[in-house]
Amino acid sequence: MNPTPTYLNARVLSLAIDEADDTASLDVALSMARQCGLKPTDARQIVGEVQAAVAQWRASAVNHGLTARDIAGMASAFE
């Protein structure tokens, strides 16, 4: 997945997770857990792990030399 700020693109998926909804939504993703071979509890655990990793995105951006303007521009992709 490539994080895209909302000013560049709406929160929709290029490849829909389910057949009816292409919204980039955690609820949609979790509703498909069983079809992906995951127990709902396992899917929620994975979500928590990803959220913990992504929560550090600002520090990582600073460490990689992004400017404050660039970081502000990407905020909607991560928050």
Side-chain angles (χ1 to χ4, degrees):
M1 297 183 76
N2 294 321
T4 304
T6 54
Y7 73 87
L8 291 177
N9 196 19
R11 290 192 189 273
V12 295
L13 302 171
S14 298
L15 299 172
I17 292 175
D18 76 359
E19 296 173 0
D21 191 350
D22 66 353
T23 304
S25 160
L26 187 54
D27 290 336
V28 172
L30 288 172
S31 74
M32 296 300 294
R34 289 196 187 280
Q35 289 85 335
C36 295
L38 292 170
K39 296 177 186 174
T41 54
D42 293 337
R44 285 190 293 277
Q45 179 179 343
I46 292 167
V47 167
E49 293 168 4
V50 171
Q51 286 175 326
V54 173
Q56 306 302 316
W57 79 270
R58 283 183 184 270
S60 182
V62 169
N63 290 339
H64 285 88
L66 274 73
T67 66
R69 181 179 178 202
D70 290 338
I71 292 169
M74 290 299 294
S76 66
F78 293 99
E79 298 172 344

